[in-house]
Amino acid sequence: MGKKLLSLSLICLLTVSLFGCSTNEVKQSKETKPVEIYLVRHGKTMFNTTDRVQGWADSPLNEKGKEAAEFLGKGLKGVQFAKAFSSDSGRAIETAQILLDKSEQKNVKLIQNKSLREANFGEFEGELNHTFYMKLAEANHMSFDQFMGNFDMDILLNTSAKIDKTKQAESAEQVSERIRNEVDKIAEEAEKDGGGNVLIVSHGISLMGLLYTISPESLDDLEGGLNNASVSKLIYKDGNYKVESVNDMSYLEKGKKDK
């Protein structure tokens, strides 16, 4: 019996020597399977339609927003999600629920996460965008046309945070750090659980802030921000991200054909 055990041990040692692959290494290799993260901006809302500032303030999806979420869900039918997350804002939750329903994945638990919220605009929440931009232009000693002609998301957020009397508005750095830290946790946990596809439904400015921390150049061709119901895709492996696509509307278009 002892000789048999010794022989088996020698075979195991030879296998490790020849192929350089221990049991621990095999286990580690399984844990480092890539995580594919589908970043979705919520569907169009009432505040989007009435052109009002919408950060932590919330408004429901309008009919077009619901329809876009349905089309997106149908277009994502072939993508099986291992995990699903949304911000805890109603518009993101509703988008995610419709998407999972129409992609035939109602069994996937949706986890609501406060850290995936949109930027906080403090006292400007619910304000008409035109009025909001006028105040930002004045704070930067610009005319409205000058401000809009040099529109910059960092200036928008940082100026908002600077002049908000309630001191609740977030700077560009605060928004980017908040969502990046949370997505890092989500990606790391998903990788430990074996990788696979992860759905994150969030908001336009927050998602752009996240993408900027990973690859600033990925936003170079983006005009006017991320579209409602668009998909931006990340590949995560061993602590590193790769931006595969930004503002992709092909899934929605595919879903439109699936009537």
Side-chain angles (χ1 to χ4, degrees):
M1 186 68 176
K3 287 183 179 179
K4 285 184 180 179
L5 285 172
L6 183 60
S7 300
L8 285 170
S9 299
L10 286 171
I11 289 169
C12 288
L13 284 170
L14 284 170
T15 303
V16 170
S17 302
L18 288 170
F19 299 103
C21 182
S22 68
T23 305
N24 288 336
E25 286 170 336
V26 169
K27 186 180 178 183
Q28 190 176 20
S29 124
K30 285 181 182 177
E31 289 175 348
T32 55
K33 181 181 176 182
V35 178
E36 299 190 24
I37 304 174
Y38 290 73
L39 304 170
V40 173
R41 185 189 175 197
H42 62 79
K44 199 167 190 178
T45 68
M46 182 178 72
F47 271 18
N48 291 150
T49 305
T50 56
D51 203 27
R52 290 185 178 274
V53 179
Q54 184 176 225
W56 283 25
D58 199 20
S59 70
L61 299 185
N62 60 21
E63 289 309 310
K64 285 189 176 179
K66 292 176 185 177
E67 184 180 57
E70 290 178 4
F71 288 146
L72 181 57
K74 290 176 181 178
L76 286 166
K77 266 186 187 176
V79 180
Q80 295 300 310
F81 294 111
K83 296 174 181 286
F85 301 83
S86 76
S87 89
D88 63 348
S89 297
R91 59 194 187 271
I93 296 169
E94 189 175 8
T95 299
Q97 289 174 334
I98 294 172
L99 188 160
L100 290 171
D101 180 23
K102 295 302 177 180
S103 64
E104 299 176 357
Q105 299 184 74
K106 289 176 76 172
N107 60 313
V108 177
K109 181 183 177 183
L110 179 64
I111 300 170
Q112 299 167 25
N113 191 317
K114 181 179 178 179
S115 295
L116 299 175
R117 283 183 184 180
E118 181 58 294
N120 187 338
F121 292 103
E123 67 177 284
F124 306 110
E125 292 283 349
E127 181 69 89
L128 285 169
N129 279 322
H130 184 274
T131 305
F132 177 44
Y133 296 154
M134 281 288 290
K135 291 177 181 178
L136 297 181
E138 288 171 12
N140 285 285
H141 309 290
M142 296 179 181
S143 68
F144 178 80
D145 289 339
Q146 285 175 325
F147 181 79
M148 297 308 293
N150 297 279
F151 193 87
D152 181 275
M153 201 59 69
D154 282 1
I155 293 174
L156 183 149
L157 291 171
N158 293 337
T159 305
S160 171
K162 183 179 178 181
I163 67 175
D164 169 37
K165 295 182 184 69
T166 70
K167 303 300 178 186
Q168 296 179 83
E170 295 177 292
S171 67
E173 184 178 3
Q174 286 174 316
V175 175
S176 297
E177 282 188 3
R178 167 167 58 80
I179 192 165
R180 174 62 188 266
N181 289 340
E182 199 58 40
V183 171
D184 281 349
K185 290 177 191 174
I186 289 170
E188 288 164 13
E189 191 64 35
E191 188 175 56
K192 285 178 185 175
D193 290 343
N197 300 317
V198 174
L199 172 68
I200 296 178
V201 180
S202 184
H203 308 266
I205 292 173
S206 292
L207 290 177
M208 285 191 290
L210 169 66
L211 291 165
Y212 187 83
T213 66
I214 297 167
S215 172
E217 59 274 15
S218 69
L219 301 176
D220 285 350
D221 298 326
L222 188 64
E223 294 182 10
L226 298 173
N227 293 323
N228 291 107
S230 63
V231 175
S232 299
K233 190 175 175 184
L234 303 176
I235 306 297
Y236 176 87
K237 185 176 181 182
D238 300 333
N240 298 306
Y241 291 96
K242 176 188 173 186
V243 178
E244 189 167 277
S245 63
V246 173
N247 204 34
D248 184 2
M249 300 300 289
S250 66
Y251 293 101
L252 185 144
E253 293 302 323
K254 179 183 175 185
K256 280 184 181 179
K257 298 172 184 174
D258 182 22
K259 288 187 178 180

